[in-house]
Amino acid sequence: MTTDIRICFVGDSFVNGTGDETALGWAGRLCASAHACNFPVTYYNLGIRRNTSKDILGRWETECSLRLPETCDGRVVFSCGVNDTVIENGAVRVPPEESCANVREILRSVTKYKVLMIGPPPVGDDSQNERIMALSQLYAAEAKILGVQYIDLFLPLASDVAYKREVLGNDGSHPRSSGYTKMANIISSSSSWWFYAP
Amino acid sequence: MTTDIRICFVGDSFVNGTGDETALGWAGRLCASAHACNFPVTYYNLGIRRNTSKDILGRWETECSLRLPETCDGRVVFSCGVNDTVIENGAVRVPPEESCANVREILRSVTKYKVLMIGPPPVGDDSQNERIMALSQLYAAEAKILGVQYIDLFLPLASDVAYKREVLGNDGSHPRSSGYTKMANIISSSSSWWFYAP
């Protein structure tokens, strides 16, 4: 059994940690915590600003295969959705049914790696949040059908007044370090997380 | 003038921050410091373990173009070399003249972004260090010809006994957080660094 665990976090600006002045984001925090628990994981952050599920479908395999050789315990964490729900030119960037189909195709195509999905977080705009919540539920259903663990960020953060205040005080979409710490805590508190320590 | 600065750090495991239990590496530390100086940069870490100059030549443009839209102030930091000097099957993985030609081609092909090069650091093995030092000098000469700023890591770290002790106590090549902090300090103390604050 190899202890050479390498994790690619593939997604959007929330995966990237945009707005986090510590440059860690939730993904970096989770990897630092894994190190502290004696899992010296290799951390590859592949979050890209403005990326939708379609963008991720188009690039995830190329980028992950360059980073996860067969000799390692390769894992991939996906997270997307917020950008799909953004309205541009009078329509959402990616309609929910297409967004779900993209996620289904992504999750189905992961055959070589352990996989996990993290749901999209809420933003500062209430009407967009309705679309994000609906999409997160659809994603969760897709993941369940395919037997992929899904960790929801939307519900715990949507009820967090301080989180929303931080987002609105920043750029309206992204939190700063406090919010990213909350996301990391929600994920690491889930028994679906690989390094969950109750 | 946009203040939307996005930086891709393209390179090897040292760029990735392999071995750093804080999950920041030198690149993450530099971006956190930039934030603290009111430059809220977007941080893209594209370091890949085992990557040589040839691997980086093959992927840098595809990966950076997905992350640096024309509307932002896009920048790229390159760093490689240690893996080129590794001996496999009786020969170095990439001979020095080929390694230099790769770096030359990379630096010449960067036309859309501001660019900076960081030299390879020393490892725990003295004979490999001779090859790394020679390669770093060749890289510096290439960068100078092309008018690209080059920050040397080799000399300041090679004379640092504590750095070498940390590398040898870890995996023989990579330091832990103290060593990555030293690298970040060497870079941020250089007037070639974009956010240099004397």
Side-chain angles (χ1 to χ4, degrees), chain A:
Chain A
M1 207 181 80
T2 178
T3 52
D4 181 7
I5 300 171
R6 305 187 188 191
I7 310 175
C8 287
F9 295 82
V10 188
D12 52 20
S13 56
F14 297 97
V15 174
N16 167 262
T18 301
D20 185 349
E21 72 278 8
T22 69
L24 280 167
W26 57 260
R29 284 177 170 76
L30 289 172
C31 288
S33 297
H35 269 270
C37 297
N38 284 317
F39 292 102
V41 301
T42 298
Y43 163 45
Y44 289 121
N45 190 313
L46 299 172
I48 300 187
R49 296 179 71 166
R50 264 188 69 81
N51 256 208
T52 64
S53 59
K54 190 182 173 187
D55 298 318
I56 292 161
L57 174 62
R59 70 176 170 90
W60 86 267
E61 201 151 10
T62 309
E63 294 193 347
C64 290
S65 67
L66 290 172
R67 288 160 173 83
L68 304 174
E70 288 189 5
T71 48
C72 81
D73 177 345
R75 309 185 183 196
V76 186
V77 178
F78 290 101
S79 185
C80 59
V82 172
N83 292 318
D84 295 46
T85 68
V86 168
I87 292 179
E88 278 182 3
N89 307 316
V92 290
R93 290 184 63 201
V94 184
E97 59 278 17
E98 194 184 321
S99 182
C100 272
N102 291 336
V103 162
R104 195 181 314 138
E105 199 174 333
I106 290 168
L107 296 180
R108 270 190 186 158
S109 60
V110 187
T111 53
K112 295 186 196 164
Y113 317 116
K114 287 190 188 71
V115 62
L116 180 66
M117 186 151 187
I118 310 295
V123 294
D125 180 78
D126 288 336
S127 58
Q128 190 181 353
N129 280 342
E130 288 180 26
R131 298 192 294 277
I132 296 172
M133 184 171 71
L135 191 59
S136 182
Q137 290 169 349
L138 290 172
Y139 282 177
E142 290 292 343
K144 194 171 183 182
I145 290 169
L146 296 169
V148 171
Q149 296 293 314
Y150 185 88
I151 300 175
D152 178 61
L153 287 182
F154 188 89
L155 287 180
L157 292 175
S159 57
D160 185 326
V161 179
Y163 181 86
K164 187 167 186 177
R165 199 184 306 127
E166 188 178 49
V167 167
L168 290 173
N170 189 29
D171 64 2
S173 297
H174 307 94
R176 294 180 61 80
S177 57
S178 308
Y180 283 106
T181 302
K182 286 174 182 176
M183 293 186 198
N185 288 342
I186 293 166
I187 297 167
S188 64
S189 306
S190 163
S191 58
S192 298
W193 175 237
W194 295 313
F195 310 104
Y196 172 62

Side-chain angles (χ1 to χ4, degrees), chain B residues 78-108:
Chain B
F78 290 102
S79 186
C80 59
V82 171
N83 293 319
D84 295 46
T85 69
V86 167
I87 291 178
E88 276 182 3
N89 307 316
V92 289
R93 290 183 63 201
V94 184
E97 60 276 19
E98 194 184 320
S99 182
C100 272
N102 291 336
V103 163
R104 194 182 314 140
E105 199 175 333
I106 290 167
L107 297 180
R108 270 190 186 156

